[in-house]
Amino acid sequence: MTPPSTPDLTVRPEALLLDFGGVVFQTRKRPEAVAEFAAHVSALLARAGHTISPDTLVPVLEGGRTAISDWKNASSRRLHPRELTHREIWRDFYASPLPAPAREVLVGEAGELQEWITLATAEHTVRPGIPDLLDLAAALGVPVGIVSNAHGGRAHRMLIDRHGLTDRFGVQVYSDEVGIRKPNPDIIELAANALGTTAARTWYVGDTFDRDVTCARRAGVAAVMLTRHHSTDRVPFPVADVPDAVFDTPEGLVPLLRATVPGTFAIPPGSSDTAPGTSTTAPAPDARDETTLPSALLLDHGGVISTSTSDADGRRAFAHHLAAGLRRAGWHLADTDAEDVVAETIAAHKRWKKTRHAQAEDGTVPEIDPRTYWVDLAGPLVEARIVGETTGVRSWLRAEAHALSIAWGRAKSVSTVRPGVVELCEAAHAAGVPIGIVSNTVSGRGVREKLATFGLGHLVGASVYSDELGRRKPDALVAVTACRALGVDPTRAVFVGDKPANDVVSARGGGVGTAVIVRGGRTADAELDAILADPTSPQRPDLVVEEMGDLIDALHLRPRTPHEGAPVDVRP
């Protein structure tokens, strides 16, 4: 439908909301990226022991891309579409034709793969007029936000940062991070609320009819603009909604915004001019040689691969980063208040975990998601320290939740690789024993970065991180998923942890044959000794080692000399 009345384009918007591709950036596809991507996926699968050639993967990945494109077109017909999770994209679209173990590996790396796709399949350059538009908006005091359908939101944030634009945007809202996608009007309302206003008092700028113009009309924005790009005229079905203005590039927006003056908005009948709560529905979760060698080595991260210490400077810097982001969006949180918020949120998170573990009668233990952490736990703490109106603070936190979790995962502690870990992993790799990471964490991406820093990333065959799986140890699904991804017999796998209540219980529930606890992690020796003294304890491990390097001989991973006989299985 066309707008109910002609908008007054002389009234200055209270916020300017821009699409990412086609508005802020123009893109040029890289045809060679498909072959590159197939090679990348093939190498990733090979690390887990699955041999699938790049030539075999090219049609599989192209088919997935076609299916996703069809899904996107169908979704833009829906009234309130939700976004696919990264795991859904890989389980149901890209990897669905592959064998189950290979599929599980790729599902476990879905977030990283989506980042790779976004960065590699197209070249991104800032569109003409965007720098001038952002300068003008800043001079006029009009906050600017990004509202984008994206299957690689964190890659979009990286591109924004690479081009020096991060500080120019008060909020960035990506569909894969908030779980809803255009033309669902809630995504525009969320961005508007995050900047302290409502959709009816904003201008929205997009480049497509079926997603952007329709979404903006449903949201009841004050004015909707279209900047032409290569997707503008490729409409999958007829769309009756029309924009208020069309420009070849964003340059045309500059004089239009410059001519505006503060005024009163005429709110169309039926449009909402009150900041709603964030009640949008979130997306639904979602043959080896038979020797004495283990079928797989499943390693916890914290306390096993590395030990960590709280990083006071890093936490302080993160708190200031949080405060600066809120201030860019118009919410004035002092740096010192943000430090208190971070400390209190950590305490609230500990209580949350304790409650969830206590309620896990059926063995299902959910992991906290970024939205719950930052909106439900941190949100009230932030609001309590902001003077004045706070109705959009939680919208901002929801939009930025995934980026905040990644930044927090990097900042909260300093990790040091444990002695013997590198040697153990290299020995397992040389012996053909695949390695899986099974970790409770707020940021799987942060753990991956640490493993790469330790020189271990290329040795990992499968990754199961609680924030990505949606379940946390002692839930058995963690161990089950790792064995499934590696395609191994769990009864011959070895699970190494440092917390009997989490690691041993998860291993037992997942049917893992050998549960190992390493001392020097997060369980005191006295507590561990008490568990060992009780033969009936469900937390009792099969083996306890002092250091990780001890497992090389215990698991027969050290190469034998020619005169040595068959190894003796010393595992309990």
Side-chain angles (χ1 to χ4, degrees), residues 39-336:
H40 178 75
V41 172
S42 179
L44 187 64
L45 291 171
R47 279 171 27 192
H50 309 312
T51 302
I52 303 179
S53 71
D55 289 344
T56 300
L57 287 169
V58 166
V60 172
L61 297 175
E62 287 182 332
R65 184 172 59 181
T66 298
I68 289 173
S69 178
D70 290 342
W71 179 88
K72 289 177 180 179
N73 288 337
S75 292
S76 67
R77 188 74 173 184
R78 303 185 66 187
L79 293 173
H80 289 82
R82 75 164 180 90
E83 185 55 275
L84 293 170
T85 66
H86 293 160
R87 295 174 71 86
E88 285 177 315
I89 291 170
W90 279 88
R91 175 174 287 116
D92 298 335
F93 290 85
Y94 281 119
S96 58
L98 299 178
R103 182 167 63 245
E104 200 68 51
V105 169
L106 299 179
V107 169
E109 299 296 331
E112 307 302 308
L113 288 167
Q114 286 307 119
E115 179 183 311
W116 199 102
I117 292 173
T118 303
L119 295 176
T121 56
E123 296 176 352
H124 294 76
T125 55
V126 177
R127 293 203 73 184
I130 285 297
D132 291 340
L133 180 64
L134 296 177
D135 287 342
L136 176 61
L140 296 178
V142 177
V144 185
I146 295 281
V147 183
S148 175
N149 281 353
H151 284 165
R154 68 192 192 195
H156 284 187
R157 291 178 184 274
M158 292 171 61
L159 289 165
I160 290 283
D161 196 57
R162 287 179 185 176
H163 287 82
L165 299 176
T166 297
D167 291 341
R168 313 305 297 275
F169 295 102
V171 71
Q172 297 179 50
V173 181
Y174 298 109
S175 61
D176 65 332
E177 297 180 349
V178 300
I180 49 179
R181 64 180 284 118
K182 296 177 287 188
N184 189 328
D186 292 346
I187 195 170
I188 288 181
E189 194 67 60
L190 174 67
N193 294 169
L195 296 177
T197 185
T198 64
R201 298 174 182 273
T202 67
W203 285 5
Y204 178 80
V205 186
D207 71 313
T208 63
F209 284 90
D210 58 309
R211 294 158 204 186
D212 293 311
V213 177
T214 297
C215 184
R217 287 290 174 233
R218 290 177 181 175
V221 299
V224 55
M225 320 294 180
L226 201 67
T227 57
R228 300 189 68 82
H229 196 43
H230 54 66
S231 296
T232 303
D233 295 321
R234 294 206 295 265
V235 185
F237 45 77
V239 176
D241 294 304
V242 296
D244 297 307
V246 179
F247 304 100
D248 287 334
T249 73
E251 292 170 299
L253 289 160
V254 177
L256 191 67
L257 182 61
R258 183 179 291 117
T260 61
V261 295
T264 302
F265 288 89
I267 307 302
S271 296
S272 172
D273 196 36
T274 58
T278 56
S279 59
T280 302
T281 302
D286 59 277
R288 301 182 182 275
D289 183 25
E290 293 295 330
T291 70
T292 56
L293 288 174
S295 64
L297 188 59
L298 309 182
L299 303 178
D300 187 16
H301 173 248
V304 174
I305 292 177
S306 72
T307 56
S308 62
T309 56
S310 177
D311 184 357
D313 291 338
R315 295 184 179 202
R316 186 179 305 107
F318 172 81
H320 297 178
H321 166 75
L322 170 65
L326 282 160
R327 288 195 294 266
R328 284 200 302 269
W331 311 109
H332 295 280
L333 179 69
D335 286 349
T336 53

Side-chain angles (χ1 to χ4, degrees), residues 368-401:
I368 198 165
D369 59 274
R371 176 178 177 177
T372 301
Y373 192 97
W374 295 107
V375 177
D376 297 344
L377 299 188
L381 302 173
V382 172
E383 290 175 335
R385 288 168 172 81
I386 291 179
V387 178
E389 183 60 52
T390 62
T391 54
V393 168
R394 296 197 197 191
S395 293
W396 186 91
L397 289 169
R398 182 186 174 193
E400 298 290 334

